Amino acid sequence: MVKAGLGNPANYRDIFDLLERGGVLEPDLTHKFRGMAGYRNRLVHDYARLDEREMWGIIQNELGDLTLLLNRLLDYIAEKSTTRYE
């Protein structure tokens, strides 16, 4: 993120704020992905208290958001790559 000129995130959630400031994400997507980062923290650090139904709901309904994020990042990389060499 630093090399792209977006800044240095202090934590996982900050990554999405930096992407928003860099024009990669809109505010509503930033909010959504910050929430996903929070859930990631629960998965990593608090696995004993996870709700299986909640997790299944996320798997069934929210994974498309990861595809959206990936496409936004790929578009950003492609844009930066072509501008750099022109």
Side-chain angles (χ1 to χ4, degrees), residues 1-8 18-19 21-22 76 80 84:
M1 307 250 357
V2 174
K3 289 182 180 182
L6 298 176
N8 190 12
L18 296 175
L19 289 171
R21 277 187 246 140
Y76 176 78
K80 292 299 178 185
R84 181 176 297 144

Side-chain angles (χ1 to χ4, degrees), residues 19-20 23-31 68 72:
L19 289 171
E20 179 184 336
V24 180
L25 295 177
E26 294 83 19
D28 59 326
L29 293 176
T30 299
H31 178 73
L68 176 62
R72 294 291 172 98

Side-chain angles (χ1 to χ4, degrees), residues 48-66:
R49 290 190 275 168
L50 290 176
D51 181 329
E52 292 174 3
R53 282 176 276 158
E54 178 185 36
M55 188 183 308
W56 182 245
I58 290 170
I59 290 169
Q60 289 198 316
N61 301 313
E62 308 296 333
L63 289 185
D65 293 335
L66 294 177

Side-chain angles (χ1 to χ4, degrees), residues 12 34-46:
Y12 282 107
R34 282 179 57 86
M36 290 177 114
Y39 197 77
R40 174 255 174 221
N41 290 340
R42 285 180 54 203
L43 286 171
V44 172
H45 301 292
D46 203 19

